[in-house]
Amino acid sequence: MADQGALDLPPTLAALQAELDALRAERDMLHEILESVAVGVTVQDQAGRLIYANRAAAATMGFSQPDQVLTTPLERIHATFTMIDEAGKPLRRETLTSQRILHGDLRPLAMMVGFYRPNEDYTGWSSLHSTPRFGPDGAFSGVINMWYDVSRLKSLSDALAAQRELLAVTLEAIGDGVITTDAAGMVSLINPSALALLGLEEAAAIGKHIGALLVLEDEQTGSTLDFGGPDSL
């Protein structure tokens, strides 16, 4: 005797129910994955409204929960920080890759974006990658944004640039000629004193093999020193 408390579905409906359950399981798994990754993910519809944000994206915008992002108007979100470019200049919202796609530039785009929060005196950096979405009919349906946190990498890059600038200033100030090369003997840096000694402009020296710029003789034997030119490498 059949269990009176159970509802037997027709075969067609049972198959549909099984397919629906499988789709829900896939959706839940995708949600779990997106919530666990360190990359910020946001999705906008064709009108530019945020319809999805994961936890990492919420943190980038200064929120503790993704739901807070979706229930807060974009104008209020943008008011909590100033977006800047790599030169430290304010970014206009319409120059963002997502906005360019929403206004008709339907191709994947990427850019660097800084988030300066005056109340924290802190600037975080993200590499923003935006991709247009298309529906089953091929019509444009919105934008997927990936926010890669590159704050530490940007900090290291700026520090290296500052060190290189300091080195360049120091080399320009000393009276000795200094030339640096890579492992293959190609000139990567030359200071003004060395340029004056060689009678060259910097553009004529950088990237050239050291053997093409200098001919040195051994003081004891008078023989020419071999730098191992490009043909001997």
Side-chain angles (χ1 to χ4, degrees):
M1 180 177 179
D3 184 356
Q4 297 298 317
L7 179 62
D8 293 328
L9 296 174
T12 303
L13 289 180
L16 288 174
Q17 183 63 51
E19 184 177 349
L20 181 60
D21 291 341
L23 288 173
R24 284 173 176 164
E26 289 181 9
R27 179 201 61 188
D28 292 343
M29 181 176 66
L30 177 60
H31 177 76
E32 184 177 346
I33 292 172
L34 289 174
E35 287 301 301
S36 64
V37 297
V39 177
V41 180
T42 60
V43 181
Q44 296 169 267
D45 64 16
Q46 62 268 42
R49 292 183 294 265
L50 278 175
I51 58 176
Y52 175 79
N54 70 347
R55 193 175 300 276
T60 299
M61 299 179 197
F63 293 91
S64 58
Q65 297 296 328
D67 289 346
Q68 295 174 306
V69 179
L70 301 182
T71 56
T72 303
L74 278 175
E75 291 74 15
R76 286 183 57 190
I77 294 176
H78 289 163
T80 62
F81 51 76
T82 299
M83 289 184 294
I84 59 176
D85 61 19
E86 291 188 85
K89 297 180 180 179
L91 273 174
R92 299 192 311 275
R93 183 181 171 188
E94 59 268 23
T95 64
L96 291 175
T97 51
S98 55
Q99 292 299 310
R100 288 161 58 190
I101 290 175
L102 288 167
H103 286 85
D105 192 354
L106 302 181
R107 58 195 175 106
L109 300 171
M111 67 184 301
M112 188 77 78
V113 181
F115 296 88
Y116 173 64
R117 295 185 172 87
N119 58 331
E120 301 175 14
D121 193 25
Y122 170 78
T123 301
W125 290 93
S126 289
S127 178
L128 170 60
H129 296 247
S130 301
T131 305
R133 298 172 57 224
F134 299 94
D137 59 353
F140 173 67
S141 61
V143 185
I144 299 174
N145 302 298
M146 309 283 284
W147 303 82
Y148 297 88
D149 186 355
V150 293
S151 300
R152 177 169 173 75
L153 183 62
K154 182 70 165 59
S155 177
L156 291 173
S157 176
D158 290 345
L160 287 173
Q163 289 180 5
R164 184 175 180 84
E165 183 178 356
L166 177 61
L167 174 62
V169 171
T170 302
L171 289 176
E172 287 184 10
I174 63 178
D176 295 328
V178 179
I179 301 175
T180 63
T181 70
D182 61 16
M186 302 299 179
V187 175
S188 58
L189 186 148
I190 182 169
N191 73 342
S193 295
L195 289 171
L197 288 171
L198 296 173
L200 295 173
E201 296 291 333
E202 184 177 25
I206 298 297
K208 299 292 179 57
H209 193 274
I210 184 68
L213 304 181
L214 287 176
V215 177
L216 299 181
E217 292 183 355
D218 188 303
E219 188 177 18
Q220 301 295 327
T221 65
S223 60
T224 301
L225 297 179
D226 183 13
F227 284 102
D231 293 337
S232 66
L233 295 177

